[in-house]
Amino acid sequence: MSKILVIAEHLDGKLNGATARAVSAAVAAKPESIDVIVLSDAPEAVAAAAAKIDGVSKVLTIARAENAHALAAILAPQIAKAAAGYSHVFAPSTTFGKDLAPRVAALLGVSQVSDVMSVEGAHSFKRPIYAGNAIVTVEVDAASTVVATIRTASWPAAASNGNAPIEALTVDATLPSHTRFVNLQQGKSDRPDLQGAARVVSGGRGVGSKENFEIIYKFADKIGAGVGASRAAVDAGYCPNEMQVGQTGKIIAPELYMAIGISGAIQHLTGIKDAGTIVAINKDGEAPIFEIADIGLVGDLFKILPELEAAIS
């Protein structure tokens, strides 16, 4: 029987929702047990949140001062040591997981399976290739440890009704000294996190300028949505890089996705294919976004958005 170790993602003492999605993927593999590992300088709060996730057998914590910040070079050696006895190591396919999992796989001497969107068996997984235009089945040698990143947009978050025990763990891992934390630069916002938001409003090149992008922020705030952008909007300097949605940005699956002034390049569509309802507003009636939109409005976004905002007041 398999045993799965899920790496918890957290920041500022709060567990990222992507962890519960990775647990859902672990449950699909039908293992003997699913343990979550939390690495931090003070893991208590995060561990308590992880212990509530349904399906979790046990939460392991490694408390070290060096784990105060999530540096892949520091965390990977500890996880590789902790993974002894586990058949699988899962991490969410977020910036955190994509940075960390390859190092863990290298230390364990195995290949990584990326962006798992379906579990066909304990050692058989489906993942997208060619910008999501094809799905490939990956078979992993049963004798090898499976290190995989989980495509969070393809999995629901496991419920939080559990009460798993929490156990402190000590590992004898030599940590590198050439990598150290300097500072963290990130945008501050009261809006919902883009990757976990139930509603997302995104702007594209059609918004026209950084100043005009305020109309996107205003409408998103009106409906309590996260804010995203196409690569074209980011490249044009309308908004910061962390807002980019698509193949080279964030893969999301909100209940409602509104694409405002976005033409719908295949790279962008890859990031929203799992969204529940897609609404598109574009002045070009032939824009590719309308081919996948559930609701399409052809017209001037600067006229339509204020009208929508007034209608929901």
Side-chain angles (χ1 to χ4, degrees), residues 6 29 44 50 54 57 94 106 115 118-119 122 131 136 141 143-144 162 167 180 183 222 243 245 248 274 298 300 307:
V6 177
E44 293 79 14
D54 285 5
S57 306
T94 56
D115 276 344
S118 174
V119 175
V136 64
D141 185 352
S144 298
E167 178 183 314
R180 57 194 176 278
N183 62 32
K222 185 73 175 181
M243 288 171 54
V245 173
T248 54
D274 294 311
V298 179
D300 183 356
E307 291 178 348

Side-chain angles (χ1 to χ4, degrees), residues 128-155:
I129 58 174
Y130 302 127
N133 287 307
I135 306 299
V136 64
T137 300
V138 179
E139 298 283 348
V140 182
D141 185 352
S144 298
T145 302
V146 177
V147 177
T149 57
I150 305 304
R151 186 183 177 94
T152 54
S154 299
W155 297 92

Side-chain angles (χ1 to χ4, degrees), residues 184-245:
L184 174 64
Q185 295 183 357
Q186 62 176 351
K188 297 292 184 181
S189 175
D190 294 329
R191 299 184 182 93
D193 175 68
L194 180 57
Q195 288 191 289
R199 296 179 292 277
V200 172
V201 179
S202 282
R205 192 198 307 272
V207 176
S209 69
K210 181 177 181 179
E211 292 71 27
N212 288 348
F213 216 85
E214 287 298 323
I215 195 173
I216 304 295
Y217 294 130
K218 185 179 179 183
F219 185 77
D221 290 342
K222 185 73 175 181
I223 64 173
V227 180
S230 67
R231 177 170 179 173
V234 171
D235 288 349
Y238 298 172
C239 50
N241 178 265
E242 61 263 24
M243 288 171 54
Q244 184 176 323
V245 173

Side-chain angles (χ1 to χ4, degrees), residues 8-92:
E9 178 176 353
H10 58 91
L11 182 65
D12 297 332
K14 296 181 180 179
L15 184 69
N16 190 298
T19 306
R21 295 177 184 270
V23 169
S24 290
V27 170
K30 300 179 180 178
E32 179 184 354
S33 64
I34 300 171
D35 295 347
V36 174
I37 186 166
V38 179
L39 297 94
S40 174
D41 59 335
E44 293 79 14
V46 176
K52 295 179 181 179
I53 301 175
D54 285 5
V56 174
S57 306
K58 181 170 55 180
V59 177
L60 303 174
T61 64
I62 299 180
R64 294 182 61 159
E66 297 93 334
N67 296 338
H69 305 286
L71 299 179
I74 300 298
L75 302 185
Q78 300 173 72
I79 294 169
K81 289 284 186 178
Y86 288 91
S87 56
H88 299 62
V89 179
F90 283 0

